Amino acid sequence: MAIGIKIKTNSKHIEKRFKRLQSKFPSIIDKGVKQAGFQLLDIIRTKTKKGIDFRDDPFKRYSESYRKRLDREGKPTKVDLFYTGRMLGSLTPNSIKKTGKHKITLGFTNAEMRQRALFNQVMMGEKNREFFGFNKRTEKIIQNTFNKFIKKQFRDMKLWV
């Protein structure tokens, strides 16, 4: 009595699916990183508008003379780094640039506003208003959003169907 065994594999199909994944993975990562840049931009703007720095501490108060000037001009005296809107306005999605493999840079599109931001961020001594940055909590939020994006992209690719 003879027994014949025939084994059929789908290795070519699986290999094709892995090549597809391999070719799409870098662009998926780049999209996710760019999306993370947009999310960081939104977080920076939101926190600054609330008058808190990237560590979630309130900004140092404006000087008395500056507060008086704002009062005379009818502008709010709450510290939110918004006088004309030009500084935070130059922090736009256009300022999110790909600067390497799976890396983006967020910056200011206007040189004058870049100087103004630098002044607020580091040149005021103990009255620095460090709005341009992120803490561990913000990093975790962005990381979770990135991970959800990647998972969704893999689900949408339907690799194993």
Side-chain angles (χ1 to χ4, degrees):
M1 172 173 184
I3 298 177
I5 298 176
K6 188 175 182 180
I7 298 174
K8 187 176 178 182
T9 66
N10 63 348
S11 61
K12 292 207 185 271
H13 181 71
I14 291 173
E15 184 179 344
K16 182 179 172 184
R17 295 288 179 154
F18 273 117
K19 283 184 180 180
R20 181 175 166 212
L21 170 66
Q22 191 176 16
S23 69
K24 288 192 174 195
F25 196 66
S27 66
I28 290 171
I29 296 291
D30 284 340
K31 283 181 191 175
V33 169
K34 188 113 174 167
Q35 184 182 40
F38 281 99
Q39 187 176 15
L40 179 59
L41 172 67
D42 184 52
I43 290 170
I44 289 171
R45 284 184 173 166
T46 302
K47 285 185 175 191
T48 303
K49 189 175 185 177
K50 289 180 180 178
I52 56 176
D53 65 13
F54 74 90
R55 291 182 197 91
D56 297 325
D57 295 329
F59 287 138
K60 305 280 193 276
R61 293 182 56 169
Y62 290 137
S63 68
E64 189 63 34
S65 61
Y66 190 66
R67 278 198 308 269
K68 286 180 183 177
R69 176 181 167 194
L70 291 173
D71 274 339
R72 279 193 311 271
E73 295 176 2
K75 297 193 183 268
T77 57
K78 178 185 172 216
V79 181
D80 60 3
L81 304 182
F82 190 89
Y83 184 73
T84 63
R86 289 178 57 214
M87 183 182 75
L88 290 176
S90 74
L91 188 59
T92 66
N94 296 341
S95 63
I96 299 173
K97 304 279 188 223
K98 184 176 177 187
T99 54
K101 185 176 181 182
H102 312 314
K103 182 179 176 183
I104 57 113
T105 301
L106 177 61
F108 294 84
T109 57
N110 181 304
E112 181 184 344
M113 297 304 113
R114 192 170 24 254
Q115 289 296 329
R116 190 176 294 172
L118 179 66
F119 178 77
N120 280 299
Q121 185 82 9
V122 296
M123 302 190 70
M124 295 180 61
E126 61 187 47
K127 284 205 172 230
N128 286 346
R129 297 182 181 99
E130 297 174 316
F131 69 99
F132 194 70
F134 58 93
N135 58 15
K136 288 288 185 188
R137 183 173 172 253
T138 301
E139 184 178 2
K140 273 281 193 220
I141 290 168
I142 292 172
Q143 188 176 42
N144 288 339
T145 304
F146 177 82
N147 290 341
K148 286 178 187 174
F149 173 79
I150 296 297
K151 285 177 186 175
K152 182 182 181 315
Q153 292 298 308
F154 281 159
R155 265 194 321 270
D156 291 351
M157 283 176 62
K158 299 177 182 168
L159 290 171
W160 309 114
V161 175

